[in-house]
Amino acid sequence: ICLYGWPAVFITLFYEPKFLRWLINVRGEWLGVDWLWLPNKALSFFILWYLGALFYAIYPRIEKRAPKKRVSPVHEPFLKRNTFHPEIADLAILGGGVIGSAEYFKASTSEKIKRVFLFEKYAKVAEVNSNVLANAETQHEGAKETNFSLEKALRMQKLARPQIAFLKERGAGVYIEMPSMVISTNSKEAELLRARFEMLKAHYPDLRLIGADEISAIEPKVVEGRSEEEKQHLIALYSMGYAVDYEKLAESFVREGDKEAKERSKDFRAYFKTKVRGINRDKGCNYVIRTSEGVFRARAISICAGPYSLMFARDLHLNGAEDFAILPVAGSFYYTKEKFLNGKVYTPQDETIKFA
């Protein structure tokens, strides 16, 4: 009755049917009361109820053949970003550059982390700073950054080792091994390099201090055209280094992370074309991440979104976030038709620019 009979009840209450009177063509009254009134109501109800039941019985067949309802393109983004995803990730990573993708891979090898979400606003990883056209493709290991203290150089060396191990084990086609040197152009810089070599040689066994003749054999263009006086001050800190395509490296990190997660039966998901619109905390101290693809939750987050990271830190009211500002610094990268160098050649860093 609830499903099929409500139209019949409604019509029967507010409409005076005359089916039975018309059928038998009589007007029945007894003591001034129309005795056909109640049978008329009952007959009307069952006729209407039957019609309703018949409609609901054939409706699924009509619906099955009908074209599928489509969400308006205008409303689709609104519906997506308000979709709630009930799963709680152990870790959410914001940003799919080489740092975010490296954390994605590292998490896949952890025994404690079972579910990870990676959010990237572009269609694939490494589309901004890690893109092949947006950096010098240098694998830094600390020895040739002349403004680094010994402590900082050794910390850089330690951080570089896992990346080098990954490149050699899983990074086919991602890197090229090539000569790398930092050269002096005057007596002051030469003394700086000699002192730096003495400081680092015990910690960097492959590092060598070479003169103009060896430099000429490795990088002829560096020595070509220099006077004999200039060559006297021309020395270099030299070792083999790596040129890394960080875009391909980021792709490799995500690919290998997915492979590891699948082998360990983990739930790892990379969401592309997904913009993060805001982050806050819920009552259970989980992070609530509002994105263009819905609302997600995570127990921990890692924000690897370049300059946007500070914005998210301020949104979360993290201690000290208001004390920092961003100073944009960009290098210029040039491509030549002719090959001039066989590897990477640097000069000592400017002492007045501490962050270079």
Side-chain angles (χ1 to χ4, degrees):
I1 290 176
C2 292
L3 186 60
Y4 304 139
W6 68 266
V9 173
F10 182 81
I11 294 173
T12 305
L13 288 176
F14 295 98
Y15 173 70
E16 182 66 35
K18 299 180 180 178
F19 297 132
L20 190 59
R21 187 177 291 114
W22 170 81
L23 185 65
I24 61 177
N25 197 23
V26 296
R27 180 176 178 80
E29 289 188 5
W30 184 66
L31 299 177
V33 177
D34 184 2
W35 57 271
L36 289 177
W37 180 84
L38 186 58
N40 261 315
K41 289 282 186 181
L43 182 61
S44 301
F45 172 80
F46 284 112
I47 291 174
L48 292 171
W49 183 88
Y50 177 79
L51 292 175
L54 183 64
F55 171 76
Y56 277 97
I58 64 174
Y59 180 77
R61 298 181 184 179
I62 300 172
E63 178 68 14
K64 188 175 181 180
R65 296 183 181 182
K68 298 296 181 183
K69 294 180 181 178
R70 298 183 181 275
V71 178
S72 167
V74 176
H75 296 120
E76 188 171 10
F78 175 80
L79 295 176
K80 277 187 176 181
R81 67 174 178 258
N82 284 281
T83 302
F84 181 75
H85 298 265
E87 306 92 343
I88 300 177
D90 296 311
L91 173 66
I93 302 169
L94 279 58
V98 71
I99 301 299
S101 59
E103 293 201 356
Y104 186 82
F105 168 73
K106 186 64 177 176
S108 71
T109 64
S110 169
E111 295 297 330
K112 295 181 180 180
I113 301 175
K114 304 298 183 183
R115 177 177 287 132
V116 173
F117 299 153
L118 170 69
F119 302 106
E120 169 55 50
K121 68 177 180 179
Y122 291 103
K124 61 177 186 175
V125 296
E127 285 292 273
V128 190
N129 295 329
S130 303
N131 187 270
V132 67
L133 301 177
N135 61 80
E137 301 184 340
T138 303
Q139 200 281 323
H140 295 279
E141 36 75 45
K144 302 177 187 73
E145 287 76 17
T146 57
N147 59 333
F148 283 11
S149 65
L150 175 61
E151 182 185 2
K152 188 171 182 180
L154 295 180
R155 188 163 67 247
M156 180 70 78
Q157 182 190 50
K158 182 181 179 180
L159 292 171
R161 284 171 181 161
Q163 186 190 105
I164 295 172
F166 180 90
L167 289 171
K168 290 184 176 181
E169 183 181 350
R170 313 190 192 208
V174 174
Y175 73 100
I176 301 172
E177 194 168 3
M178 59 172 53
S180 174
M181 64 178 73
V182 52
I183 64 170
S184 63
T185 58
N186 54 52
S187 59
K188 183 180 178 182
E189 290 180 350
E191 288 301 318
L192 172 68
L193 294 188
R194 288 190 181 96
R196 187 163 185 82
F197 175 71
E198 292 298 322
M199 180 178 71
L200 296 175
K201 65 181 182 181
H203 306 283
Y204 291 83
D206 297 331
L207 188 66
R208 295 174 55 210
L209 187 68
I210 61 176
D213 292 340
E214 285 191 82
I215 294 173
S216 180
I218 300 167
E219 296 287 1
K221 293 290 185 181
V222 172
V223 183
E224 189 179 296
R226 294 181 184 270
S227 66
E228 290 300 320
E229 184 179 354
E230 288 176 316
K231 289 180 183 179
Q232 291 179 1
H233 304 297
L234 185 61
I235 62 173
L237 287 179
Y238 164 78
S239 65
M240 292 300 289
Y242 300 90
V244 181
D245 185 333
Y246 285 102
E247 182 178 355
K248 288 184 178 179
L249 180 59
E251 292 171 355
S252 182
F253 277 142
V254 173
R255 182 174 61 252
E256 294 297 323
D258 286 337
K259 188 187 298 183
E260 285 283 340
K262 186 176 180 180
E263 290 175 357
R264 298 167 185 248
S265 301
K266 296 184 177 184
D267 182 10
F268 272 51
R269 310 178 200 175
Y271 292 89
F272 296 102
K273 295 184 179 180
T274 304
K275 293 183 179 181
V276 175
R277 303 184 181 278
I279 310 170
N280 59 286
R281 305 289 290 270
D282 63 12
K283 293 181 180 179
C285 291
N286 295 310
Y287 291 94
V288 179
I289 306 151
R290 301 186 307 279
T291 76
S292 57
E293 294 296 317
V295 180
F296 298 83
R297 291 182 297 166
R299 295 183 180 89
I301 59 171
S302 177
I303 305 174
C304 311
Y308 291 102
S309 301
L310 183 58
M311 180 191 75
F312 288 123
R314 288 179 173 176
D315 286 347
L316 289 168
H317 305 289
L318 297 182
N319 291 335
E322 297 295 333
D323 299 331
F324 289 92
I326 291 175
L327 177 63
V329 178
S332 298
F333 305 99
Y334 302 94
Y335 292 82
T336 60
K337 293 181 180 179
E338 184 182 346
K339 182 180 178 181
F340 288 95
L341 299 173
N342 297 315
K344 293 185 173 291
V345 179
Y346 301 95
T347 56
Q349 276 78 11
D350 187 337
E351 293 181 1
T352 62
I353 306 176
K354 297 301 182 182
F355 49 80

